[in-house]
Amino acid sequence: MDTIGYYNKYASAVFEQTVELDREEDRQAFLGCLEEGDTILDLGCGSGRDSLAFYELGYDVTPLDASEEMCKLAEIHTGLEVLNMDYEEMEFDEVFDGIWGNEALIHVPEDDMPGVLRKVIDALCQGGILFLSFQEGDFEGIQNGRYFCYYTQEKLERILKETGRLEIKKIWTEGADGLDDDERLIRVLARKLS
């Protein structure tokens, strides 16, 4: 079973495990760089938890997920239409003021990351804000039925700078609700260069 197949099969369990996780601090860091009413793409929206939070604050939100079953649950939870596509299928051209990718790219193989980042950056308006988070570590492969790619802060920073299209505004590492005590997330806020 591939990673998307995993999320389709276990969508209800994943929804229950993630819908109540506290990501408020990260959302506020992201929203602090945007204007009320701005357009936001929620990459890998999962349960729709963050899409709903942004929508309730007055943002124009587009949730997107590759798992058809997660999309169905997110639509029920948020009342929003959820785009069912994987990142490689995205063809947006400077549509979004902000892109929220909370643990959204953790299943992308490192070799595929430059191409996926190109699609993501293409979707951002000039000067748009990108938030990404990744599990910290030095692992790439199958774990618990899914493909994962962890990063060190240095490696992630290098990959983002190599795009030549992003200015890193802030990068930080700390624990997060839903992770084990010894696990940490690397968060990045970046701006698309003009």
Side-chain angles (χ1 to χ4, degrees):
M1 176 174 18
D2 67 3
T3 300
I4 294 171
Y6 177 97
Y7 283 104
N8 282 329
K9 183 174 181 178
Y10 299 109
S12 294
V14 171
F15 180 92
E16 292 300 326
Q17 292 164 3
T18 60
V19 72
E20 297 295 331
L21 292 179
D22 181 6
R23 294 295 184 265
E24 182 62 23
E25 198 172 307
D26 291 338
R27 285 194 301 262
Q28 289 307 314
F30 173 64
L31 294 178
C33 301
L34 296 175
E35 302 290 328
E36 189 174 336
D38 275 355
T39 54
I40 295 175
L41 175 63
D42 184 357
L43 280 181
C45 70
S47 67
R49 172 198 65 223
D50 300 317
S51 291
L52 183 59
F54 295 140
Y55 179 75
E56 289 178 341
L57 289 169
Y59 293 88
D60 180 0
V61 185
T62 300
L64 178 149
D65 202 281
S67 162
E68 185 178 352
E69 295 304 314
M70 290 305 301
C71 288
K72 290 175 185 175
L73 293 175
E75 283 187 351
I76 293 166
H77 181 63
T78 64
L80 300 170
E81 181 182 345
V82 179
L83 299 179
N84 179 213
M85 68 174 64
D86 37 51
Y87 307 137
E88 292 83 2
E89 296 175 293
M90 294 191 320
E91 294 291 339
F92 301 113
D93 185 21
E94 297 191 0
V95 176
F96 302 101
D97 300 305
I99 296 180
W100 171 259
N102 180 65
E103 296 183 74
L105 304 183
I106 61 174
H107 302 303
V108 175
E110 185 178 340
D111 288 347
D112 296 345
M113 188 62 75
V116 170
L117 281 173
R118 197 168 23 259
K119 296 271 190 179
V120 169
I121 295 167
D122 286 348
L124 268 178
C125 296
Q126 295 296 321
I129 297 296
L130 175 62
F131 174 90
L132 295 173
S133 64
F134 296 86
Q135 288 192 2
E136 180 186 46
D138 188 21
F139 172 80
E140 183 169 7
I142 302 292
Q143 188 178 56
N144 300 323
R146 294 166 285 175
Y147 191 92
F148 285 93
C149 188
Y150 296 1
Y151 290 93
T152 63
Q153 187 168 314
E154 295 74 26
K155 182 185 271 190
L156 184 58
E157 203 165 346
R158 177 181 52 76
I159 289 169
L160 294 172
K161 285 181 177 176
E162 283 175 356
T163 68
R165 301 170 68 196
L166 293 171
E167 170 198 6
I168 297 174
K169 295 174 60 62
K170 183 178 180 183
I171 186 165
W172 70 106
T173 304
E174 59 190 15
D177 190 24
L179 296 181
D180 292 337
D181 289 343
D182 61 337
E183 296 178 316
R184 293 157 31 109
L185 287 183
I186 303 170
R187 284 101 157 160
V188 179
L189 272 173
R191 182 181 302 278
K192 181 176 177 178
L193 298 169
S194 303

